[in-house]
Structures are given as structure tokens and as C-alpha cells.
Amino acid sequence: MTDSIKRYLESERCSSLMFLSIICYVMFKDSFQVVGDFFQTVMIIGGLVAIAVYRDFFSRNVVFWLLVIGGVIQFVSWFMSTRTIPELAQPTPNLKPFSYLMVFLVVAFWLKGSLKRSIVTLLAFSVGSVFTLFYYSDFFEQFIIGMHGSRVDFGYRNAQHGSLIIGAAFICTLWFIYTIAPRKINNKGIFVSISCLFLVLLGALLMMLQSRQSWLAVFISIFVIPLLYAYFRDRVSLRKIIMLYGILFVIGILIYHVDFVHNRIYAGFSHPGDLHNLLSGNWREVKDISIGVRLQTWLEAINWFYSHPIFGTGDGSRSLVITQSNVLPDYIKAEFRHLHNSNFETAVSYGAMGLVFTYVLMFYPVYKAVRSNAPTLIKGIAISFLIYWLIINNFESFLYMRSGQWVFNTFMGTVYSFALYSDFLEYQSRRNKLDEYNI
């Protein structure tokens, strides 16, 4: 029975089905949700069967054990909440938040370390990110409104979520262009031209969504691209790097002087005294809604974390920080139920142990990708995305939101695939040798 399942898992038919499932997942996860969730289920079932069949391999895999550790941390955090805040604790533990983030292990396994599959997956996500905005709105009407300087969200939750997926797609597409442009390949001109047009579309959407957190994250992520490319390549002209930074500087200045961009950047400091209060640490006196709400809830989160530093108080704590506060204004307690920061939400929910877990989960796949035989494109995307992800999660709680989990699993699965599949081939080779000697 196990041998027949193993033969099917290693067949081209199964491989193609799983790859199709990945493509449908990354394209439709947050638009045609029935389609996206169905193929995610197919992909996960295939992954669970593979884990059971190749349990000797996965039992030595760090990411698999992170999945187990994540479940333990969530359970212990819930248990501690029943002891420290019994009247507020959830009736049962919720093991889903960290489990959702581990889908990338399945994505990585079924991509099989293939550059072609990885590129198709990332391109499918990039197209899917634009399609998601199209799906939820009268796209062209919103586009025209955005071109006139008004902030739009294309009906997709709010502008922060749209900017998250578009920003990730922008970084990915830019890396494709930067990597392919110097190479001699067939039909390069057509590919680069289409990619550049698509990049312009993504850039326009990113500006229209007017999310300052995404602008900052994208800017820093693309700023390091020339340096990363030079680091991973043996021979790169210093003159070209300087020229690229010159071009980035000019483009940045031109974008900065677009009226609605300039106004949006300074919108957070329109209230007299806000900048002084921010720099002096008098955060409760910041009047700007966007900045003020974040700072005040973060202060409450710090106090909550000090009271429950090791394991936190389990899922649901992010709303308790707000609703149980004695100092937050009524309008914040009435309108907000999360902390706009993944780090603070992890700290109050799962304590220091949760913070360590999430950072290992974010850094380990990138570390393995950089140390693997993955091509420059994948290594560059891995580091650029990590920078983007770390920055943007300091201003929104994407780690625990559907859109964020979609982006995280897509990119981490793609970049980790090369290291995982290399380890898997080594495992298979070792097993075959043992079988030859009947060990």
C-alpha cells in the first residue's frame, strides 16, 4: 500500500496536479476564494500524505518541527491564559494562526526546487494580485479616480491590504527584469517589454493605494537590489551599480514631487505638535488618527507583555489589550480590535516564546535559500521579500491576516523549495544506497 502511494506521489500526474493546485492557490486565494481554498486543500492533503510517506525525511526537517513547536506554543499560551486571566480566556485553544503560516512547507515540497515552476508561481501571484483588485471593484473607474490623486482601495478590505500584495508583486517583477535584462535569451525583448509595462501598472497601483508603510517597505527593498545582485554575481560593473542608484534617486525625486504623494507623506504630521510629541515619547498626545491609534495601542501592548512575558495569554489577546484598557480613548476601544503590528500581537498572544518562533520561521527559509544552490534570482527575491515583510508588519498585523498569510506562504514556499528539495534528493539517494545493501 505504501509503495503504491509512493509511486503515485513520485509520478508526473501527481506532480502536475500539485503544481496546478499551487498556481490556483497563489492566483485566487483572496479573490475566487472557493477556487483558491479548494486547491489549497488539495495541495495540503497531498503534502500531508507526502509527510506520512516520507516521515523519515520530514522528521529531520527543521520547518516541520517548527510546525510542531508552533502548536505547542499556542496550546501553552492558551493554558497560561486560563490561569492568569481565567475570566477572559478562550474556552478552547486555537492552533490555527501559526498553522496557517506553515502552508509554505507544502508549497516548497511540490515546487521541487524547479526554477521554471518557481518563476511561474511568482508570476501567477503577481498577476493574481492585480486580478484580486479587479475582482472586488469597478477596476477602471477606481483606476481613473486614483490617477486624479484620490486614495482608492479597489474594494479589497482596505488600502493596506491592497498595497501589501501589489508591493510584493512589484518587488518580484523588478527582480525578474533586473535578472533577465543582462542575459542573452530568446525573445528577451518581448519578455522585458511586457514585464516593464506590468511593472509600471503595479507602480501606478501602489501609488494610488497611498499606503505609506508599503512605500517605505518597497523603497528599502528595491534600494538593496543592486547590492544584492552584485553580491551574488561574480562580476558586476561598479559603474553600472552607481548608474542604477542614480536612476533610482531621480525616479524617487520625481515621485516625491507628485502632489498627492507629497501630501500623503506629510499627512501624518498635519497636526501642530505631533512631530514633537512623537520624538519626545509623549505618544498619547499625538493627534493624527493613523499614527496616534497605533502608538497608543502599542503602549498598552507593551504593558500587557510585561505582565505576561513568557507565553502571553493566547489567541484573542490583541483585542483584550484594547477592550480591557483603562486609558485608551473610547473611540479607539469602540472601533479597533487589533494592534496594527504583528510583533506586538505576537508578544501579547504568545509572549517571548512566540516572538522567537515567528522570527525563526521568517529567517530560516531565507537563510537556507541563500546557502543553497538556488539561482541569483531566487536568493535576491528571498532577501528583498524578507526586508519588505519585516518592515510592513511593523505597521499592520499581516502575519495573522488572510492576505498576509497568502503572501507569506507564496514567497517563503518559493524560496525555500530549492533547499528543501536538495535535502530531499540527498535523503532519497541515501535511502536507495541502504536499500541496495538491504539495510
Side-chain angles (χ1 to χ4, degrees):
M1 181 67 176
T2 302
D3 289 340
S4 62
I5 295 176
K6 184 180 294 187
R7 283 194 297 271
Y8 177 73
L9 290 176
E10 295 174 354
S11 69
E12 189 60 34
R13 178 181 296 179
C14 178
S15 178
S16 298
L17 174 61
M18 292 301 109
F19 181 52
L20 173 65
S21 299
I22 291 173
I23 296 304
C24 291
Y25 164 75
V26 302
M27 282 197 72
F28 303 122
K29 175 59 180 174
D30 226 7
S31 52
F32 284 137
Q33 293 185 7
V34 173
V35 174
D37 288 345
F38 172 78
F39 281 102
Q40 176 183 317
T41 302
V42 172
M43 179 179 70
I44 290 175
I45 291 173
L48 291 175
V49 173
I51 290 172
V53 171
Y54 302 115
R55 53 189 174 275
D56 288 346
F57 168 70
F58 283 101
S59 66
R60 296 173 172 83
N61 179 261
V62 172
V63 174
F64 173 77
W65 281 107
L66 284 174
L67 173 61
V68 177
I69 292 170
V72 172
I73 290 174
Q74 291 174 113
F75 179 83
V76 173
S77 295
W78 167 79
F79 178 79
M80 294 302 296
S81 71
T82 64
R83 294 296 180 268
T84 56
I85 51 169
E87 70 284 356
L88 299 173
Q90 299 287 333
T92 56
N94 181 11
L95 306 183
K96 292 179 180 179
F98 288 162
S99 300
Y100 287 143
L101 298 174
M102 304 304 294
V103 173
F104 81 85
L105 177 61
V106 176
V107 174
F109 181 78
W110 289 117
L111 287 179
K112 296 188 171 183
S114 166
L115 178 60
K116 183 181 294 185
R117 285 189 171 194
S118 298
I119 290 175
V120 172
T121 299
L122 291 174
L123 287 176
F125 166 80
S126 299
V127 173
S129 67
V130 177
F131 175 76
T132 299
L133 301 188
F134 184 88
Y135 177 82
Y136 284 104
S137 68
D138 186 335
F139 183 83
F140 297 106
E141 180 183 350
Q142 290 270 291
F143 193 91
I144 292 172
I145 294 173
M147 287 291 290
H148 285 87
S150 297
R151 191 184 191 191
V152 292
D153 59 17
F154 294 93
Y156 177 56
R157 295 195 177 91
N158 58 46
Q160 281 80 12
H161 291 265
S163 64
L164 166 73
I165 62 175
I166 296 299
F170 184 91
I171 294 168
C172 177
T173 305
L174 185 59
W175 260 109
F176 283 142
I177 296 171
Y178 198 83
T179 305
I180 296 300
R183 298 180 177 231
K184 295 180 180 179
I185 59 175
N186 295 331
N187 301 317
K188 183 181 76 172
I190 296 175
F191 180 83
V192 172
S193 298
I194 294 174
S195 298
C196 286
L197 289 174
F198 187 58
L199 186 70
V200 171
L201 171 62
L202 291 172
L205 292 173
L206 195 60
M207 292 177 65
M208 294 172 192
L209 289 160
Q210 297 190 28
S211 175
R212 290 168 294 188
Q213 61 200 32
S214 291
W215 290 351
L216 175 64
V218 168
F219 174 77
I220 295 177
S221 297
I222 65 176
F223 183 82
V224 302
I225 288 179
L227 291 177
L228 290 174
Y229 188 80
Y231 177 77
F232 290 123
R233 303 285 292 181
D234 293 330
R235 292 180 296 175
V236 177
S237 170
L238 179 62
R239 185 175 65 179
K240 287 184 178 180
I241 294 176
I242 295 174
M243 183 176 68
L244 284 169
Y245 276 115
I247 293 172
L248 287 175
F249 178 77
V250 172
I251 293 174
I253 292 297
L254 292 175
I255 293 175
Y256 174 78
H257 283 91
V258 174
D259 285 343
F260 71 84
V261 173
H262 183 273
N263 292 338
R264 180 62 183 159
I265 291 174
Y266 286 99
F269 304 105
S270 58
H271 295 84
D274 270 6
L275 182 59
H276 177 267
N277 289 326
L278 179 64
L279 296 177
S280 63
N282 193 19
W283 291 359
R284 297 196 188 278
E285 298 302 321
V286 175
K287 303 299 182 184
D288 180 77
I289 296 295
S290 178
I291 298 176
V293 168
R294 283 175 167 83
L295 294 178
Q296 292 187 65
T297 54
W298 294 351
L299 285 173
E300 291 302 291
I302 292 172
N303 293 330
W304 189 281
F305 172 71
Y306 282 159
S307 300
H308 316 279
I310 308 300
F311 285 102
T313 49
D315 182 56
S317 298
R318 64 179 187 174
S319 61
L320 293 178
V321 169
I322 297 173
T323 58
Q324 299 300 309
S325 172
N326 295 320
V327 296
L328 288 176
D330 290 339
Y331 78 91
I332 292 181
K333 298 174 73 171
E335 295 183 25
F336 298 95
R337 287 296 179 269
H338 67 96
L339 304 174
H340 297 87
N341 186 303
S342 291
N343 292 306
F344 283 121
E345 294 208 359
T346 302
V348 300
S349 298
Y350 310 110
M353 299 302 295
L355 282 172
V356 172
F357 168 81
T358 55
Y359 272 87
V360 171
L361 187 65
M362 290 186 283
F363 275 87
Y364 181 77
V366 175
Y367 167 78
K368 290 289 287 184
V370 172
R371 294 292 298 272
S372 73
N373 60 351
T376 298
L377 171 65
I378 298 301
K379 292 180 179 180
I381 288 176
I383 296 177
S384 294
F385 173 73
L386 179 61
I387 293 171
Y388 176 76
W389 184 251
L390 291 174
I391 294 172
I392 205 167
N393 271 279
N394 277 300
F395 301 97
E396 195 57 79
S397 309
F398 291 123
L399 200 64
Y400 301 103
M401 295 179 177
R402 185 182 177 97
S403 58
Q405 292 158 357
W406 168 34
V407 173
F408 181 86
N409 288 322
T410 299
F411 279 80
M412 287 301 182
T414 302
V415 303
Y416 182 55
S417 178
F418 294 85
L420 178 66
Y421 199 64
S422 177
D423 292 343
F424 182 68
L425 291 178
E426 183 180 337
Y427 157 79
Q428 284 190 313
S429 176
R430 189 165 57 249
R431 285 302 311 169
N432 291 336
K433 289 181 180 179
L434 292 174
D435 290 341
E436 288 178 9
Y437 294 102
N438 295 318
I439 299 178

